[in-house]
Amino acid sequence: MQSDSPEESGAVHDLVARGPRVLGPDGVRPLEVGVDDGVITVIAPAGAGLAGRRAVEVGADAVLMPGLVDAHVHVNEPGRTEWEGFASATRAAAAGGVTTIVDMPLNSIPPTVDVPALAAKRAVARDQVFVDVGFWGGAVPGNTRRLAELDDAGVFGFKCFLIDSGVPEFPPIGDTELERDMAEIARIGSMVIVHAENARVIASSPPPSGRKYASFLGSRPHEAEDSAIATVIETARRTGARAHILHLSSSDALPEIARAKRDGVQLTVETCPHYLTLDAERVPDGATAYKCCPPIRGQANREALWQALGDGVIDSIVSDHSPSTVELKNPPDGDFGTAWGGVSSLQLGLPLIWSEARRRGFDLARVAGWMGSGPAGVAGVRGKGRLAVGYDADFSVFADDHTLTVDAEALLHKNAVTPYDGLELSGVVQRTFVRGREVDFRTPSGTLLRR
């Protein structure tokens, strides 16, 4: 249990939150939390009698838990705002207990590959966000000299693709440029986050077509991920750069990842709810809502990812919320070869992971670590992801034993497409607070973050 100095007699906080189950620094305890100027200033045992101008009383059927940090969200605005936008994305985040997101440098137009593009994105986001928002920069062919400028402007790191990104304005980089960019990123003290699939392996695989998911899965084999991850690891080893593997799907890469970490390579890894809750054996014909890159793999692969989470080989869980319009995502013929690849789950991550985690014996503190402090630590988002003194007062009221039946039409994402439609999940987010203010879904009050 964590506290600041003893309460001064008569101290009145801006906000006090209390309940019999509060997920604080030492696990779930009966606690009271004092908040001033949007920051947690005291955590005390239940019964301490903290006084506040406002109070949040959490019942025994819910947990007061830290706000989650989703460091992998494609907001798509400006340029493809019909796919998603800052207002819709951050509303959905808040409804799912996510209090901070970090926006990917694509699929917006322009992509965030130079300072003017970052300024344009910040300008359009500024008056729309319901949670706090940070930004990744992009590493694309020819912009190595701009990386330091973007770093100075406050991006949290740099995303690159080793394969076609799916949009022409964000091309992939080759091995030579990867090494050059990682050396520059090491020099400026930032990090590179990599979509790691090997273009040569995929080019030699049969192209996807038709309604059978097996055709799509065969077009992006394990080897594509495994060899690309090996390239990233060896480049990080040579350059000393911090490297992060995005949306790990292939469990075959786990031994190489574990070995690199033991060797001291500065490497972190994330995975996503769709890889931990879905499996290839149960994807229906023509169900293109399940299409994502890298792909959802088999049951045994999924269980190996869970084992790696438990063992600490995988550092965090993020959504990779990658929406598009219904027309792009669900072609009339159900062709996996032509459908947009991306899963919408920003609002659903917590109940998805909690539903699966509790069945495997993991508690809510582990889930909060994977989805809160874990992503915050990887991305370097300070003051987020923990319910602790000195941290921003970002938290949600989560009814962990309540059930939720997913209704795609009722979600706050801009487009009603999700592979989870109709699924019954455990856990309901009842209220969300950002910097001590409850999100009302009408008045944007989030903050734009800088590294």
Side-chain angles (χ1 to χ4, degrees):
M1 208 263 307
Q2 185 175 355
S3 177
D4 63 357
S5 57
E7 284 283 282
E8 295 180 9
S9 176
V12 179
H13 300 282
D14 294 341
L15 173 72
V16 171
R18 58 171 61 89
R21 294 195 297 153
V22 177
L23 180 47
D26 301 313
V28 177
R29 303 281 190 276
L31 296 173
E32 301 183 3
V33 180
V35 175
D36 297 286
D37 295 324
V39 175
I40 297 170
T41 53
V42 60
I43 298 177
L50 300 185
R53 297 177 184 87
R54 294 176 290 129
V56 177
E57 305 287 346
V58 180
D61 66 335
V63 179
L64 185 75
M65 64 177 291
L68 306 183
V69 176
D70 193 336
H72 193 150
V73 178
H74 294 269
V75 176
N76 305 331
E77 187 176 17
R80 291 189 174 94
T81 311
E82 69 275 16
W83 294 16
E84 194 70 277
F86 283 102
S88 56
T90 56
R91 278 194 185 97
V98 176
T99 53
T100 303
I101 67 170
V102 188
D103 170 65
M104 284 290 162
L106 73 163
N107 302 300
S108 56
I109 303 173
T112 316
V113 296
D114 55 32
V115 172
L118 174 64
K121 183 170 282 193
R122 291 176 65 91
V124 76
R126 183 165 293 113
D127 297 324
Q128 294 196 71
V129 297
F130 289 82
V131 302
D132 288 356
V133 178
F135 302 92
W136 295 108
V140 296
N143 83 326
T144 304
R145 62 184 178 83
R146 297 191 179 103
L147 301 182
E149 297 169 358
L150 277 164
D151 182 66
D152 288 343
V155 298
F156 283 82
F158 299 93
K159 181 176 186 176
C160 67
F161 278 75
L162 305 185
I163 191 169
D164 180 17
S165 71
V167 293
E169 66 276 1
F170 202 96
I173 60 177
D175 292 352
T176 299
E177 190 146 24
L178 176 67
E179 180 130 10
R180 183 163 59 245
D181 285 355
M182 287 180 72
E184 173 67 358
I185 287 165
R187 184 189 72 80
I188 63 179
S190 187
M191 67 182 298
V192 62
I193 63 174
V194 186
H195 182 122
E197 288 183 286
N198 186 305
R200 292 182 294 276
V201 172
I202 290 178
S204 66
S205 301
S209 64
R211 295 172 54 82
K212 295 291 185 183
Y213 183 72
S215 170
F216 173 65
L217 184 59
S219 74
R220 302 185 95 96
H222 282 270
E223 293 79 9
E225 267 191 279
D226 303 341
S227 60
I229 288 169
T231 296
V232 173
I233 288 171
E234 290 311 307
T235 309
R237 197 188 300 272
R238 288 193 299 271
T239 62
R242 284 184 60 209
H244 178 70
I245 302 299
L246 297 166
H247 44 51
L248 178 70
S249 161
S250 173
S251 63
D252 289 357
L254 290 167
E256 183 72 16
I257 290 167
R259 184 161 46 250
K261 288 187 168 193
R262 288 195 300 270
D263 290 347
V265 176
Q266 295 191 78
L267 182 72
T268 50
V269 181
E270 69 185 34
T271 192
C272 307
H274 37 282
Y275 303 129
L276 296 167
T277 63
L278 304 173
D279 58 73
E281 292 86 346
R282 292 186 290 177
V283 177
D285 290 351
T288 50
Y290 290 78
K291 180 181 176 180
C292 57
C293 302
I296 295 160
R297 305 192 190 275
Q299 294 178 17
N301 185 91
R302 180 190 64 201
E303 296 310 310
L305 295 178
W306 275 104
Q307 182 67 45
L309 275 165
D311 293 344
V313 178
I314 297 174
D315 301 275
S316 62
I317 303 172
V318 293
S319 69
D320 187 13
H321 179 68
S322 184
S324 70
T325 62
V326 175
E327 293 74 21
L328 286 172
K329 188 62 185 167
N330 287 348
D333 57 1
D335 187 345
F336 279 96
T338 60
W340 175 257
V343 173
S344 296
S345 65
L346 179 55
Q347 187 172 335
L348 297 172
L350 179 54
L352 282 167
I353 295 303
W354 175 233
S355 298
E356 294 292 326
R358 71 190 310 186
R359 286 203 287 268
R360 292 169 169 80
F362 296 112
D363 62 16
L364 197 54
R366 292 298 299 275
V367 170
W370 293 327
M371 304 184 77
S373 59
V378 167
V381 185
R382 295 182 179 178
K384 303 290 188 181
R386 298 181 189 272
L387 207 162
V389 169
Y391 279 67
D392 290 342
D394 299 347
F395 42 78
S396 71
V397 178
F398 182 58
D400 52 328
D401 284 330
H402 291 207
T403 58
L404 163 71
T405 300
V406 178
D407 176 0
E409 295 289 343
L411 296 175
L412 299 182
H413 308 153
K414 183 165 286 189
N415 290 282
V417 184
T418 176
Y420 304 110
D421 192 31
L423 189 64
E424 186 174 283
L425 303 174
S426 296
V428 175
V429 176
Q430 297 178 328
R431 304 171 71 180
T432 299
F433 296 77
V434 178
R435 298 177 187 259
R437 297 181 59 176
E438 184 167 6
V439 177
D440 64 7
F441 301 95
R442 298 184 303 275
T443 308
S445 58
T447 300
L448 303 186
L449 306 175
R450 296 170 56 94
R451 178 173 175 266

